[in-house]
Amino acid sequence: MTVTAPHPPSVQLPSRPTPLAGTVAAGLVLIGLVAAGIWSVNSLGIDLATIVQSLDNAVAFTQRMFPLDFPPLGETLGLIFETLAIVFLATLLSVVLSIPVALAAANATTRGKVSQGTARTLIVLARAIPDLVLAIVFLRMFGLGATAGILAMGIHSVGMVAKLYADAIEELDDGPRESVEAAGGSRGQQITASIPQVLMPQLVATALHRFDINLRTSVLLGYVGVGGIGLAIADALRTLNYQRGMALALLVLGLCIGIELLSGAIRAAIMKGSGGSVVGGTWADRLFNRGAADAPGAVRLTPPWTGARTQRFLAGVVILVLLLASLWQVEMSLAVLWQGLLDLPETLGLFFPPATGGALDALVQQLLVTIQIALAATFLGAVLALPIGVLAANNVVANRAVRTTFRVFIVVVRGIPELILAIIFVVISGLGGVAGTLALAVGAVGLLSKLVADSLEETDTAVQDAMRTAGATEVQVFFAATVRQAAPAFVAHTLYLLDSNIRAATLLGVVGAGGIGFLLLNASRVNQFEVVTMILILMVAVVLAVEALSMWLRKTVR
């Protein structure tokens, strides 16, 4: 008798889910952006042959640089102090302006849709208008010097600082505010119960990060007449004094790296010591409860002088001292400020109505070059930054020496201002988009590598451990768990880089690195301010379009 083994029941596998239309569209757009980056690299003429042909110019430039010619010690210290004072005042101004704007923009601290919409519009406009354009306007109002640079960087910084503050407020635990509201507290009391949580560490950490950015920007603004090291570099390079110009550029590099290391250490200390949150007991409590402290049986809200409160008090004293020292260093004149404000209508009249100056074709052509530079730099930067960021992540590379080496490399590259790189590449490769692209690509490596490494380190290690337990190799764990989790962050960071590079490509055109920035500088020098306004309108339109595309892609990919 033959026994036939029963066939195992067939298993109905679930059908593969159909990709969402938005996901498919996002994938096609990303592929299109990569293709646009490759096209831009080819269109600008960036290839290995071009770089090799520039080696002779690089050698000649290096020979003309040495020996470096540093100014006398007293003059050098004066330039350093003036630059740091300008940057400090600009950053402090941005924080002061950003706090009320962020409060109006955040859902947790505002009730009116009109005020919220107005605040968010101000944030977008502040980010979209380059600080170089603001500097040109303020130089016309207040003359050459530090005042224009302080106001330009301070107002432009609101676009970043206020946005980050508003985001931080919305991410707060709403429990303290709701408790104050349930107890009958006013809107002001509800805000002061929540905002101290933002002040430490988000407020200070964001201000320190913006200080780093403004330090690099101050060098660029020297080309339009703002004081400090940037003006000294511009004067030296206009006379082809590369020994003095590169010596000052090396000084800027040292300042940028030193400030970044210092601010990083301060941010780390603040993050480490921010475990507790301040609920009350500040001057705001006494302000909103005037008279209540004198009532019979009232409870005093003033906290004891603990170590944390002493540190906050000393930090306030240091900021006040730095404020007074900076104001003394830049020698701001209240009379000049007041006269400039009185002349504001007349100054704005110079910039309106917008006009092309009979060069619309040239403006559109150079705008396209600016976009090409940004696309090419983002593509090249991403190609170089991805492997560097991977090798710097501690949950990917076990060898500590390798991780440390690449982390140090990232810090050094990030410390080099793009303007200095643009100047060097202009001398080596000549005027045009090649210099701007290479400068922004190197800068992109420093920024994107760090963001890639941080994104990899922030992935959920439990998923990776589960795959290892199931027998997966380290390569499988890396691509299937680590990279898969970090992929949305990669996309978001790259799009942020593209957005930043479009603005930066405009600014680097000031030193001849291609794009519409060169026309912007020429228009301001010959007092064609209506052309400046037209260039600004074109740039804002492009920036807003890219920002809208970035927001949609980040939302879809997430």
Side-chain angles (χ1 to χ4, degrees):
M1 179 177 181
T2 304
V3 178
T4 304
H7 293 285
S10 60
V11 178
Q12 185 68 30
L13 296 176
S15 59
R16 193 178 187 89
T18 304
L20 298 175
T23 304
V24 175
L28 293 176
V29 170
L30 290 174
I31 293 173
L33 288 175
V34 173
I38 297 174
W39 167 75
S40 298
V41 171
N42 182 66
S43 178
L44 292 170
I46 301 173
D47 51 33
L48 185 60
T50 302
I51 297 175
V52 171
Q53 292 173 3
S54 301
L55 292 179
D56 291 339
N57 293 335
V59 172
F61 173 67
T62 304
Q63 292 174 346
R64 296 182 65 180
M65 278 177 51
F66 295 100
L68 295 174
D69 179 25
F70 288 94
L73 181 60
E75 182 180 348
T76 300
L77 293 177
L79 290 173
I80 292 175
F81 292 151
E82 183 180 5
T83 301
L84 293 178
I86 292 172
V87 174
F88 175 80
L89 291 173
T91 306
L92 184 62
L93 175 63
S94 70
V95 171
V96 172
L97 295 176
S98 295
I99 290 176
V101 174
L103 291 174
N107 290 322
T109 51
T110 188
R111 289 175 177 170
K113 294 296 183 182
V114 175
S115 60
Q116 186 179 37
T118 303
R120 292 192 177 274
T121 301
L122 290 175
I123 290 174
V124 172
L125 288 177
R127 288 184 61 214
I129 301 177
D131 32 28
L132 179 65
V133 174
L134 291 173
I136 291 173
V137 176
F138 291 133
L139 284 168
R140 184 71 186 182
M141 292 175 59
F142 307 112
L144 299 177
T147 302
I150 293 169
L151 294 175
M153 287 189 291
I155 293 175
H156 177 71
S157 299
V158 171
M160 169 190 161
V161 177
K163 181 181 184 301
L164 293 179
Y165 285 177
D167 292 344
I169 292 172
E170 292 184 347
E171 292 173 2
L172 286 175
D173 179 10
D174 207 32
R177 188 199 63 79
E178 291 176 346
S179 299
V180 176
E181 183 180 19
S186 65
R187 193 67 177 172
Q189 290 170 321
Q190 296 173 39
I191 292 175
T192 55
S194 304
I195 294 308
Q197 299 178 59
V198 181
L199 295 179
M200 302 293 280
Q202 286 93 338
L203 189 149
V204 178
T206 300
L208 289 171
H209 179 55
R210 191 65 213 185
F211 186 93
D212 295 341
I213 297 174
N214 286 340
L215 179 58
R216 294 167 174 78
T217 303
S218 67
V219 181
L220 172 68
L221 297 186
Y223 272 78
V224 293
V226 176
I229 299 177
L231 180 59
I233 291 176
D235 291 340
L237 294 181
R238 285 193 189 104
T239 59
L240 303 182
N241 186 354
Y242 296 119
Q243 294 176 336
R244 173 61 61 86
M246 289 299 104
L248 293 170
L250 184 62
L251 189 64
V252 172
L253 173 60
L255 273 178
C256 289
I257 294 176
I259 292 297
E260 181 165 340
L261 293 175
L262 177 61
S263 62
I266 294 175
R267 287 196 298 267
I270 292 173
M271 294 294 290
K272 183 178 180 181
S274 61
S277 61
V278 181
V279 177
T282 64
W283 60 269
D285 297 296
R286 296 189 293 275
L287 176 64
F288 286 106
N289 288 279
R290 282 184 297 183
D294 300 327
V299 178
R300 241 177 222 286
L301 294 176
T302 305
W305 281 93
T306 60
R309 187 185 180 193
T310 302
Q311 289 178 358
R312 292 195 297 269
F313 175 77
L314 292 177
V317 172
V318 170
I319 292 175
L320 179 60
V321 171
L322 290 176
L323 172 61
L324 297 176
S326 299
L327 290 172
W328 174 80
Q329 179 67 41
V330 300
E331 298 179 353
M332 293 182 66
S333 171
L334 293 178
V336 172
L337 280 173
W338 180 248
Q339 186 59 46
L341 292 175
L342 293 178
D343 295 339
L344 179 60
E346 179 182 352
T347 302
L348 293 179
L350 299 174
F351 291 83
F352 292 96
T356 62
L360 179 60
D361 292 341
L363 292 179
V364 174
Q365 180 183 1
Q366 291 305 311
L367 180 63
L368 177 61
V369 172
T370 300
I371 297 173
Q372 287 179 325
I373 292 172
L375 287 168
T378 303
F379 173 75
L380 294 175
V383 169
L384 296 173
L386 284 174
I388 295 174
V390 169
L391 293 172
N394 59 21
N395 62 335
V396 177
V397 178
N399 191 310
R400 183 176 181 180
V402 173
R403 296 198 313 266
T404 303
T405 299
F406 280 95
R407 282 286 183 180
V408 171
F409 173 78
I410 291 172
V411 170
V412 173
V413 173
R414 285 188 66 206
I416 306 175
E418 286 88 349
L419 178 68
I420 304 301
L421 292 170
I423 293 170
I424 295 173
F425 284 122
V426 163
V427 176
I428 294 174
S429 62
L431 298 171
V434 174
T437 302
L438 295 178
L440 289 178
V442 174
V445 169
L447 174 62
L448 192 56
S449 297
K450 182 181 184 303
L451 295 176
V452 168
D454 293 344
S455 298
L456 291 171
E457 292 177 353
E458 292 169 1
T459 55
D460 187 359
T461 56
V463 179
Q464 302 162 17
D465 293 338
M467 289 194 64
R468 292 188 184 97
T469 304
T473 65
E474 288 300 323
V475 174
Q476 291 173 322
V477 171
F478 174 71
F479 285 102
T482 308
V483 172
R484 190 178 182 86
Q485 291 183 72
F490 291 169
V491 173
H493 296 327
T494 305
L495 292 172
Y496 168 74
L497 181 64
L498 175 62
D499 186 31
S500 301
N501 280 344
I502 290 179
R503 296 181 177 89
T506 304
L507 303 182
L508 294 186
V510 170
V511 296
I516 203 168
F518 186 70
L519 299 181
L520 176 66
L521 181 64
N522 285 343
S524 66
R525 284 177 173 172
V526 298
N527 293 336
Q528 288 184 324
F529 298 111
E530 67 280 359
V531 177
V532 172
T533 305
M534 177 58 69
I535 293 175
L536 173 61
I537 292 173
L538 294 175
M539 286 307 308
V540 169
V542 172
V543 168
L544 292 180
V546 172
E547 187 165 344
L549 177 64
S550 300
M551 290 176 62
W552 174 74
L553 280 174
R554 287 196 296 267
K555 183 178 179 180
T556 304
V557 172
R558 185 184 307 170

